[in-house]
Amino acid sequence: MFFKLALRNVARSFQDYGVYLLTLTFGVCLFYTFNSLDGQGAMLYLAKNGNPIVDSIMVLMDVFSVFVAVVLACLILYADRFLLRRRKRELGTYLLLGLSQGQVSRLLFLETGLIGLISLAAGLGLGVLASYGMSALTLSMFEMDLSGLLAVSFSPRAAGKTVLYFGIIFLLVMVLSGVQVSRARLIELIHGERKNEVLKPRPLAVAVFQFVLGVACLLAAYAILLIFGMALAVAVPFLCFPMLGLGTLGTLLIFRSLSGFVMRFVQSRPELYFKNLNLFTLRQWISKVHTTYLAQTVVCILLLLAIGITASSLGLNSTLTAMTDKDAPFDITVQNQSGDVQLLDFDRVLREGGFDPDTRLAWSHDTCFYYNDAAVTGYEQASAALRVSDYNALMARQGKPGYSGPLPSEDITFGTQLTTGNLGLTCILVSDEMARQLEIRRQVWSADYAQDSKEETEEQLLRIIRPLNITLAVRAETRLSIYSDMMGNKFLALFLGLYLGFTFLLAAAAVLALQQLSQAADNTGRYAILRRLGAEERQVSRSATQQVALAFLLPLALALIHSVVGMRAANDIIATAGRIDSAASSLVTAGVLLAVYGGYFLATALACRRMAKNA
């Protein structure tokens, strides 16, 4: 009997509490996806090439997974408390019908277990698909065809870890729900839905003072962050703690002041206050803000963390890409550091090794660097000299303008994309005639592969070139090897940023959604009274939607203001490493925010409208 009753209640919950079930499913999906990285194509490729960053990524994922599990556990417990409050009358009815508190607790235990199994199964299924999508995304970052590593796969390790963590969470929910029901009195359960929050209007002067003080605290926190910078403000405790404290206090005061500030403001405009159902909508919303300003503050901070972490990781990702492109203008660069002793004919060496440069290479150039003789060039600081014709040829390959100034030129450091990898020379440009008076110091051969089979081409090249190091000091650096090393850092920043960003965003959206669903359920009797008083159906539905919109948009608006200031400080740090594509990272972050946060808003608004309609 208990199992059939629990199954019926769960089936009914799919309609009434779909947001709760979706949150559980998405939480499982998120946890599985990021814990299955070891089986994804990009990580397999990096591990095959011996990149040490793979172990670091997996260790950090394990550490952050514990943190994410704690956040999701708090979210699930918070959601269960809201749903249990909604069902107090139902549970009290079971007691009136003769069930004992132990039997009611066992019923809740079965319901939670069924919901947990459904969420785990659905979440793991979505997680496998999401893992495939993330694998495709990361493999697309490589400059080679790795489609052979792309396949739908199931990670037993990630699945076992997900089942273990969420099994503990669901078990904790079962125990706490049973304890809460066993300790509740019958009258509290029967009248639980009728217990309203008391709206105590605050004096307008107090509300205005709190609002002004909150704005002042935020401005002080922003000033510390922008003047001293994020790195210094976070590294120095006497700057970090006041900054975080002022920011949190300012956010709290602004939400606390809304109950009196907004109410008095709207009441001073009767044409707005008494229009349609604005009076009802505003008082219902204000009553919740009046007592849940702390939750609004937490949601705002969660949104700030989600937006800031996601945008920063994407911005750092684009910066690392720009750094990689700067360090690797050509597919391969071979340095013959014994060029002052023996020059190599690379075309002949490659043909003797069975490699056809005419068909396998799209472009190649042999460059000589010369010892700088101050008596010839007139410069003493430069360690080497380069012919201007060679410089222009290398620049032309990259689609950049050549040098047309006076010769010899001023010192040129080799951050100017002349070689793949680090050349380690500071040189000047000289005319071809002047170069004949200088002694050769180093020979550098650069090449770009043909479009097909770049990885295979590189393997053949390196197999021929590396043995030359036995008799000569020959060093080869390739774009693929530099990319492989940099990819580990890119994935670390991307994975951790998206993991934490999605977690905080999911938590913020789910908390707001569950609050609004609980409030809509409490308001069903009020919606019925409004209909008896003559309110039209569209007015009731609009009122329900407006309450949800106010709850979702206010924390988001303040979080966006926080994130604009925070991202400016974060970009100053990221910019020290390279160029930032702020527009791209902002657009992607906005897309993620719209998809997750907007999706929760839409689902919550539709559910609340349905509750209002069925009242």
mmCIF file of all heavy atoms in Angstrom, residues 19 22 509 513 517 545 548-549 552 593-610:
data_model
loop_
_atom_site.group_PDB
_atom_site.id
_atom_site.type_symbol
_atom_site.label_atom_id
_atom_site.label_comp_id
_atom_site.label_asym_id
_atom_site.label_seq_id
_atom_site.Cartn_x
_atom_site.Cartn_y
_atom_site.Cartn_z
ATOM 1 N N VAL A 19 10.024 21.682 -11.523
ATOM 2 C CA VAL A 19 11.289 22.417 -11.371
ATOM 3 C C VAL A 19 12.206 21.698 -10.399
ATOM 4 O O VAL A 19 13.423 21.608 -10.607
ATOM 5 C CB VAL A 19 11.005 23.856 -10.900
ATOM 6 C CG1 VAL A 19 12.298 24.572 -10.542
ATOM 7 C CG2 VAL A 19 10.269 24.626 -11.979
ATOM 8 N N LEU A 22 13.587 18.665 -12.184
ATOM 9 C CA LEU A 22 14.560 19.088 -13.184
ATOM 10 C C LEU A 22 15.871 19.512 -12.533
ATOM 11 O O LEU A 22 16.956 19.240 -13.066
ATOM 12 C CB LEU A 22 13.984 20.241 -14.010
ATOM 13 C CG LEU A 22 12.946 19.881 -15.079
ATOM 14 C CD1 LEU A 22 12.421 21.137 -15.734
ATOM 15 C CD2 LEU A 22 13.542 18.942 -16.110
ATOM 16 N N ALA A 509 19.202 29.885 -9.681
ATOM 17 C CA ALA A 509 17.932 29.781 -10.400
ATOM 18 C C ALA A 509 16.966 28.836 -9.690
ATOM 19 O O ALA A 509 15.758 29.114 -9.601
ATOM 20 C CB ALA A 509 18.190 29.309 -11.832
ATOM 21 N N ALA A 513 13.301 29.668 -8.177
ATOM 22 C CA ALA A 513 12.163 28.942 -8.732
ATOM 23 C C ALA A 513 11.359 28.255 -7.633
ATOM 24 O O ALA A 513 10.117 28.310 -7.620
ATOM 25 C CB ALA A 513 12.660 27.918 -9.754
ATOM 26 N N LEU A 517 7.487 28.932 -6.609
ATOM 27 C CA LEU A 517 6.491 27.858 -6.661
ATOM 28 C C LEU A 517 5.790 27.700 -5.320
ATOM 29 O O LEU A 517 4.569 27.494 -5.266
ATOM 30 C CB LEU A 517 7.177 26.547 -7.055
ATOM 31 C CG LEU A 517 7.606 26.426 -8.520
ATOM 32 C CD1 LEU A 517 8.382 25.135 -8.737
ATOM 33 C CD2 LEU A 517 6.410 26.485 -9.440
ATOM 34 N N THR A 545 2.716 36.030 -13.108
ATOM 35 C CA THR A 545 3.941 36.182 -13.893
ATOM 36 C C THR A 545 4.766 37.370 -13.409
ATOM 37 O O THR A 545 6.000 37.295 -13.343
ATOM 38 C CB THR A 545 3.585 36.364 -15.378
ATOM 39 O OG1 THR A 545 2.789 35.266 -15.822
ATOM 40 C CG2 THR A 545 4.845 36.434 -16.221
ATOM 41 N N VAL A 548 6.836 36.535 -10.342
ATOM 42 C CA VAL A 548 8.014 35.745 -10.696
ATOM 43 C C VAL A 548 9.076 36.627 -11.345
ATOM 44 O O VAL A 548 10.277 36.510 -11.053
ATOM 45 C CB VAL A 548 7.616 34.580 -11.634
ATOM 46 C CG1 VAL A 548 8.855 33.813 -12.091
ATOM 47 C CG2 VAL A 548 6.645 33.645 -10.934
ATOM 48 N N ALA A 549 8.649 37.536 -12.230
ATOM 49 C CA ALA A 549 9.599 38.410 -12.917
ATOM 50 C C ALA A 549 10.341 39.306 -11.935
ATOM 51 O O ALA A 549 11.561 39.496 -12.038
ATOM 52 C CB ALA A 549 8.868 39.251 -13.966
ATOM 53 N N PHE A 552 12.975 37.288 -10.045
ATOM 54 C CA PHE A 552 14.122 36.856 -10.843
ATOM 55 C C PHE A 552 14.976 38.029 -11.307
ATOM 56 O O PHE A 552 16.210 37.919 -11.369
ATOM 57 C CB PHE A 552 13.636 36.062 -12.065
ATOM 58 C CG PHE A 552 13.502 34.583 -11.819
ATOM 59 C CD1 PHE A 552 12.419 34.076 -11.119
ATOM 60 C CD2 PHE A 552 14.456 33.705 -12.282
ATOM 61 C CE1 PHE A 552 12.281 32.721 -10.894
ATOM 62 C CE2 PHE A 552 14.338 32.343 -12.065
ATOM 63 C CZ PHE A 552 13.244 31.844 -11.356
ATOM 64 N N LEU A 593 23.636 32.321 -19.484
ATOM 65 C CA LEU A 593 22.715 32.896 -18.508
ATOM 66 C C LEU A 593 21.284 32.855 -19.028
ATOM 67 O O LEU A 593 20.348 32.519 -18.288
ATOM 68 C CB LEU A 593 23.135 34.332 -18.209
ATOM 69 C CG LEU A 593 22.374 35.069 -17.096
ATOM 70 C CD1 LEU A 593 22.668 34.421 -15.753
ATOM 71 C CD2 LEU A 593 22.765 36.535 -17.067
ATOM 72 N N LEU A 594 21.110 33.187 -20.292
ATOM 73 C CA LEU A 594 19.770 33.184 -20.877
ATOM 74 C C LEU A 594 19.196 31.769 -20.925
ATOM 75 O O LEU A 594 18.018 31.557 -20.638
ATOM 76 C CB LEU A 594 19.824 33.780 -22.281
ATOM 77 C CG LEU A 594 18.494 33.878 -23.036
ATOM 78 C CD1 LEU A 594 17.538 34.806 -22.300
ATOM 79 C CD2 LEU A 594 18.714 34.365 -24.462
ATOM 80 N N ALA A 595 20.046 30.801 -21.271
ATOM 81 C CA ALA A 595 19.563 29.425 -21.403
ATOM 82 C C ALA A 595 19.164 28.844 -20.048
ATOM 83 O O ALA A 595 18.078 28.256 -19.910
ATOM 84 C CB ALA A 595 20.644 28.560 -22.056
ATOM 85 N N VAL A 596 20.021 28.991 -19.035
ATOM 86 C CA VAL A 596 19.755 28.367 -17.735
ATOM 87 C C VAL A 596 18.795 29.220 -16.900
ATOM 88 O O VAL A 596 17.721 28.758 -16.495
ATOM 89 C CB VAL A 596 21.077 28.132 -16.975
ATOM 90 C CG1 VAL A 596 20.800 27.510 -15.605
ATOM 91 C CG2 VAL A 596 22.002 27.227 -17.774
ATOM 92 N N TYR A 597 19.190 30.457 -16.656
ATOM 93 C CA TYR A 597 18.381 31.337 -15.805
ATOM 94 C C TYR A 597 17.051 31.667 -16.479
ATOM 95 O O TYR A 597 15.990 31.636 -15.841
ATOM 96 C CB TYR A 597 19.163 32.611 -15.519
ATOM 97 C CG TYR A 597 18.687 33.402 -14.330
ATOM 98 C CD1 TYR A 597 18.896 32.953 -13.038
ATOM 99 C CD2 TYR A 597 18.033 34.619 -14.508
ATOM 100 C CE1 TYR A 597 18.469 33.690 -11.944
ATOM 101 C CE2 TYR A 597 17.603 35.371 -13.418
ATOM 102 C CZ TYR A 597 17.820 34.901 -12.146
ATOM 103 O OH TYR A 597 17.391 35.632 -11.068
ATOM 104 N N GLY A 598 17.118 31.970 -17.788
ATOM 105 C CA GLY A 598 15.891 32.243 -18.511
ATOM 106 C C GLY A 598 14.989 31.027 -18.602
ATOM 107 O O GLY A 598 13.761 31.147 -18.539
ATOM 108 N N GLY A 599 15.595 29.846 -18.749
ATOM 109 C CA GLY A 599 14.796 28.627 -18.785
ATOM 110 C C GLY A 599 14.065 28.374 -17.476
ATOM 111 O O GLY A 599 12.880 27.988 -17.469
ATOM 112 N N TYR A 600 14.758 28.597 -16.361
ATOM 113 C CA TYR A 600 14.112 28.440 -15.060
ATOM 114 C C TYR A 600 13.001 29.479 -14.870
ATOM 115 O O TYR A 600 11.950 29.171 -14.317
ATOM 116 C CB TYR A 600 15.147 28.570 -13.942
ATOM 117 C CG TYR A 600 15.689 27.241 -13.471
ATOM 118 C CD1 TYR A 600 16.827 26.688 -14.031
ATOM 119 C CD2 TYR A 600 15.046 26.531 -12.459
ATOM 120 C CE1 TYR A 600 17.326 25.471 -13.604
ATOM 121 C CE2 TYR A 600 15.532 25.310 -12.021
ATOM 122 C CZ TYR A 600 16.677 24.781 -12.595
ATOM 123 O OH TYR A 600 17.155 23.573 -12.181
ATOM 124 N N PHE A 601 13.265 30.703 -15.321
ATOM 125 C CA PHE A 601 12.231 31.728 -15.208
ATOM 126 C C PHE A 601 10.986 31.335 -15.999
ATOM 127 O O PHE A 601 9.858 31.451 -15.509
ATOM 128 C CB PHE A 601 12.774 33.071 -15.704
ATOM 129 C CG PHE A 601 11.710 34.101 -15.948
ATOM 130 C CD1 PHE A 601 11.079 34.727 -14.882
ATOM 131 C CD2 PHE A 601 11.312 34.428 -17.239
ATOM 132 C CE1 PHE A 601 10.078 35.674 -15.094
ATOM 133 C CE2 PHE A 601 10.326 35.366 -17.457
ATOM 134 C CZ PHE A 601 9.702 35.994 -16.382
ATOM 135 N N LEU A 602 11.188 30.869 -17.223
ATOM 136 C CA LEU A 602 10.050 30.488 -18.060
ATOM 137 C C LEU A 602 9.285 29.318 -17.452
ATOM 138 O O LEU A 602 8.044 29.339 -17.380
ATOM 139 C CB LEU A 602 10.548 30.128 -19.460
ATOM 140 C CG LEU A 602 9.481 29.759 -20.492
ATOM 141 C CD1 LEU A 602 8.522 30.924 -20.702
ATOM 142 C CD2 LEU A 602 10.127 29.353 -21.811
ATOM 143 N N ALA A 603 10.028 28.297 -16.987
ATOM 144 C CA ALA A 603 9.360 27.138 -16.387
ATOM 145 C C ALA A 603 8.606 27.524 -15.124
ATOM 146 O O ALA A 603 7.482 27.060 -14.875
ATOM 147 C CB ALA A 603 10.399 26.052 -16.081
ATOM 148 N N THR A 604 9.217 28.397 -14.305
ATOM 149 C CA THR A 604 8.565 28.825 -13.067
ATOM 150 C C THR A 604 7.330 29.664 -13.363
ATOM 151 O O THR A 604 6.275 29.500 -12.721
ATOM 152 C CB THR A 604 9.553 29.625 -12.207
ATOM 153 O OG1 THR A 604 10.738 28.858 -12.004
ATOM 154 C CG2 THR A 604 8.941 29.968 -10.865
ATOM 155 N N ALA A 605 7.442 30.591 -14.310
ATOM 156 C CA ALA A 605 6.295 31.434 -14.650
ATOM 157 C C ALA A 605 5.124 30.599 -15.169
ATOM 158 O O ALA A 605 3.968 30.830 -14.787
ATOM 159 C CB ALA A 605 6.713 32.473 -15.688
ATOM 160 N N LEU A 606 5.412 29.628 -16.017
ATOM 161 C CA LEU A 606 4.338 28.779 -16.545
ATOM 162 C C LEU A 606 3.698 27.948 -15.443
ATOM 163 O O LEU A 606 2.470 27.779 -15.400
ATOM 164 C CB LEU A 606 4.898 27.873 -17.649
ATOM 165 C CG LEU A 606 5.331 28.576 -18.935
ATOM 166 C CD1 LEU A 606 5.957 27.579 -19.899
ATOM 167 C CD2 LEU A 606 4.149 29.291 -19.592
ATOM 168 N N ALA A 607 4.527 27.420 -14.532
ATOM 169 C CA ALA A 607 3.984 26.625 -13.425
ATOM 170 C C ALA A 607 3.129 27.486 -12.504
ATOM 171 O O ALA A 607 2.052 27.057 -12.051
ATOM 172 C CB ALA A 607 5.123 25.978 -12.647
ATOM 173 N N CYS A 608 3.585 28.704 -12.217
ATOM 174 C CA CYS A 608 2.803 29.590 -11.349
ATOM 175 C C CYS A 608 1.498 30.015 -12.020
ATOM 176 O O CYS A 608 0.451 30.127 -11.356
ATOM 177 C CB CYS A 608 3.639 30.817 -10.961
ATOM 178 S SG CYS A 608 5.028 30.451 -9.851
ATOM 179 N N ARG A 609 1.534 30.257 -13.315
ATOM 180 C CA ARG A 609 0.308 30.605 -14.039
ATOM 181 C C ARG A 609 -0.673 29.424 -14.006
ATOM 182 O O ARG A 609 -1.889 29.623 -13.880
ATOM 183 C CB ARG A 609 0.636 30.978 -15.480
ATOM 184 C CG ARG A 609 1.304 32.336 -15.624
ATOM 185 C CD ARG A 609 1.816 32.529 -17.049
ATOM 186 N NE ARG A 609 0.719 32.630 -17.997
ATOM 187 C CZ ARG A 609 0.202 33.770 -18.428
ATOM 188 N NH1 ARG A 609 0.687 34.925 -17.962
ATOM 189 N NH2 ARG A 609 -0.766 33.791 -19.295
ATOM 190 N N ARG A 610 -0.149 28.229 -14.130
ATOM 191 C CA ARG A 610 -1.034 27.056 -14.079
ATOM 192 C C ARG A 610 -1.667 26.912 -12.698
ATOM 193 O O ARG A 610 -2.857 26.586 -12.568
ATOM 194 C CB ARG A 610 -0.244 25.801 -14.436
ATOM 195 C CG ARG A 610 -1.132 24.561 -14.548
ATOM 196 C CD ARG A 610 -0.374 23.312 -14.943
ATOM 197 N NE ARG A 610 0.584 22.927 -13.919
ATOM 198 C CZ ARG A 610 1.902 23.006 -14.048
ATOM 199 N NH1 ARG A 610 2.412 23.492 -15.164
ATOM 200 N NH2 ARG A 610 2.707 22.635 -13.078
#
